[in-house]
Amino acid sequence: MPVKAFEACGVLAGGASSPVRAGTPVGGAPFVQSSGRGAYAFDATGRRYVDYVMAYGPLLFGHAHPALTGGLDAIAARGTVFGSTHEEEERLAARLCAHVPSVEKLRFTSTGTEAVMSAVRVARAFTGRPLLLRFAGNYHGHFDAALLGAGASAASSTDLGSGIPSNTSADVVLARYNDLADVERALAGRENLLAAILVEPIAGNMGLVLPVDGFLNGLTVRARNAGALVIFDEVITWLRLGLGRAQGMLGLRPDLTAFGKAMGGGFPLAAFGGRAEVMRALSPDGDAFTGGTLSGNPFCIAIGHRVLDLIERDPGLYERLEAAGGRLADGLRAALHAAEFPATVTQCGSMVDFKFRAGAAASNYDEASAIDRKAFAAYYHAMRAGGVLLAPSPNELMFLSSEHSAADIDFTVALAHEALRSALR
Ligand code: PMP
């Protein structure tokens, strides 16, 4: 039977429900996916691509993993949403807290945006202060205070056209990632207004940017000295890097943490939590309101248990993910070397990235943005034409899953040799 090509009917605003999917930074027709299985995405013609988008992070176990998608009828048959709390919700909260010692109390949400937005509200309520310090190039979701100077191509200003009221900027201050002197500049004279420093402890929305030694610790000290809180946005990193990561990996203890993406295994499940004393600012104990019709729904909570089951029962998982990430990073290093382009490949577990800029890895958004965008677009299209799907924006990175095989990675690297040669010509 002939396969009918996808025809956009033009009703979907901007052509996609999240702008990055429109592929504007690379031009050309956006990728339209018809299905996914394991490490692969399929288009409408049935063509297979090795997928490194992995839905921008949640798919730690690839597409449609049987342990996450099998037997869903039985879960749904007990009810998909209650207007009441339930035992499994409390049990999942306890399981999460057991892995992340800084979290004594938590609340579930459906999206990472809600989780971070709620954590910011709790911090403001607890401290009785308005000011939020954030980092250019970090992304925390699409609430107003998060979008000023954000990464992930979401940067918005308070110009009227962005829909963000101008007074938002009165309570948000931006600093350069990995730059404690810039944090001090940004805060000077306003320390007593500071509610929280919000940070991606490992930044994944300006490509992959690792924190330099002392940066996160320095933030913690500055927040403490100002009487403010530290909020880690681990929406990407928790479970992708390990059961206690990134805070466990870095030996740090933020006051509040936001979780999302991988914890829901591809279903809408997220959470925020932290010190019990701080979380008591939340209604009904305190006055700070957060809630949600779908928050903590039994369907997604059941999936959250399945995700933790898969991870807890597989002690070798993170070692394998690390090895896969290392294989890809080494292969890309060799491909860049062969193309005589001295870019630095960055890897953290199953996250891999390089930029079309020569020299050391980017350490902040200014550096991460100073790239050859034409070369990136050409590389993206050459990879896609050859059967590898990358995110269509240089602000994203490559996500691996448990399902990416050595053969998938070697295929990707072989293709990268050709794609880099043609992109950098
Ligand atoms: N925080 C980080 C670090 C993210 O990467 C994202 C999503 N890319 C969010 C928050 C927002 O999550 P969601 O898209 O689920 O609202």
Side-chain angles (χ1 to χ4, degrees):
M1 199 172 69
V3 183
K4 196 170 171 299
F6 170 82
E7 277 171 41
C9 59
V11 178
L12 203 51
S17 292
S18 204
V20 67
R21 297 176 201 167
T24 313
V26 294
F31 183 74
V32 179
Q33 189 165 340
S34 64
S35 66
R37 197 180 63 242
Y40 308 121
F42 296 85
D43 69 13
T45 68
R47 181 161 186 220
R48 190 180 97 168
Y49 300 78
V50 183
D51 181 5
Y52 292 96
V53 184
M54 287 285 115
Y56 297 92
L59 302 179
L60 189 60
F61 297 100
H63 292 281
H65 191 285
L68 299 177
T69 54
L72 297 186
D73 291 3
I75 303 181
R78 293 196 296 272
T80 55
V81 61
F82 302 155
S84 314
T85 192
H86 54 101
E87 277 178 21
E88 288 303 294
E89 187 183 13
E90 183 69 40
R91 195 168 71 83
L92 186 63
R95 285 181 85 179
L96 193 158
C97 289
H99 289 300
V100 188
S102 70
V103 179
E104 295 165 348
K105 300 263 181 208
L106 70 85
R107 186 168 275 183
F108 290 108
T109 63
S110 297
T111 65
T113 297
E114 291 170 273
V116 186
M117 179 181 72
S118 304
V120 169
R121 180 164 307 139
V122 171
R124 284 174 164 157
F126 178 75
T127 57
R129 295 167 170 197
L131 194 64
L132 177 68
L133 186 133
R134 294 189 18 239
F135 294 93
N138 281 189
Y139 178 74
H140 303 290
H142 64 273
F143 60 103
D144 287 355
L147 284 180
L148 307 177
S153 319
S156 308
S157 65
T158 51
D159 290 344
L160 268 183
S162 71
I164 298 177
S166 59
N167 58 9
T168 306
S169 56
D171 294 328
V172 177
V173 63
L174 282 174
R176 200 174 301 119
Y177 197 75
N178 275 329
D179 188 343
L180 290 172
D182 199 50
V183 169
E184 273 163 24
R185 174 211 53 82
L187 273 184
R190 298 215 272 169
E191 289 88 347
N192 61 345
L193 295 175
L194 185 67
I197 298 179
L198 169 62
V199 65
E200 281 185 70
I202 289 167
N205 284 291
M206 44 179 162
L208 179 60
V209 174
L210 304 180
V212 296
D213 271 358
F215 173 61
L216 295 170
N217 217 13
L219 292 184
T220 311
V221 171
R222 277 154 187 81
R224 297 275 181 279
N225 289 345
L229 306 184
V230 175
I231 308 173
F232 274 12
D233 180 342
E234 295 229 42
V235 166
I236 289 181
T237 48
W238 191 58
L239 295 188
R240 176 154 287 282
L241 296 180
L243 281 161
R245 318 289 160 116
Q247 49 194 272
M249 186 165 92
L250 302 163
L252 296 169
R253 217 182 152 95
D255 301 287
L256 290 164
T257 304
F259 307 94
K261 300 218 186 219
M263 72 179 281
F267 292 80
L269 178 64
F272 66 100
R275 276 163 52 203
E277 179 200 7
V278 175
M279 290 296 279
R280 266 197 292 278
L282 272 177
S283 173
D285 298 326
D287 291 334
F289 182 86
T290 75
T293 305
L294 299 174
S295 297
N297 72 74
F299 189 85
C300 292
I301 293 286
I303 304 285
H305 281 294
R306 287 184 174 199
V307 169
L308 282 183
D309 289 345
L310 266 178
I311 294 173
E312 288 171 358
R313 288 174 193 161
D314 183 357
L317 173 69
Y318 290 104
E319 231 166 85
R320 295 200 305 279
L321 285 166
E322 174 72 39
R327 189 179 189 101
L328 179 60
D330 287 346
L332 290 174
R333 271 181 206 113
L336 285 161
H337 185 74
E340 294 177 8
F341 187 70
T344 302
V345 177
T346 309
Q347 182 220 342
C348 187
S350 56
M351 306 191 289
V352 177
D353 185 38
F354 72 89
K355 302 236 151 293
F356 281 86
R357 71 193 285 280
S363 69
N364 59 51
Y365 200 29
D366 292 334
E367 292 173 5
S369 303
I371 56 163
D372 181 342
R373 285 168 196 278
K374 258 174 75 179
F376 173 76
Y379 173 70
Y380 166 87
H381 282 294
M383 292 296 276
R384 185 167 135 186
V388 169
L389 189 64
L390 303 172
S393 160
N395 278 341
E396 307 296 339
L397 50 87
M398 296 172 86
F399 288 107
L400 289 136
S401 74
S402 60
E403 306 309 293
H404 285 75
S405 66
D408 293 328
I409 294 169
D410 294 348
F411 169 79
T412 304
V413 168
L415 188 59
H417 274 266
E418 285 170 41
L420 281 171
R421 256 197 305 274
S422 66
L424 291 164
R425 224 188 344 244

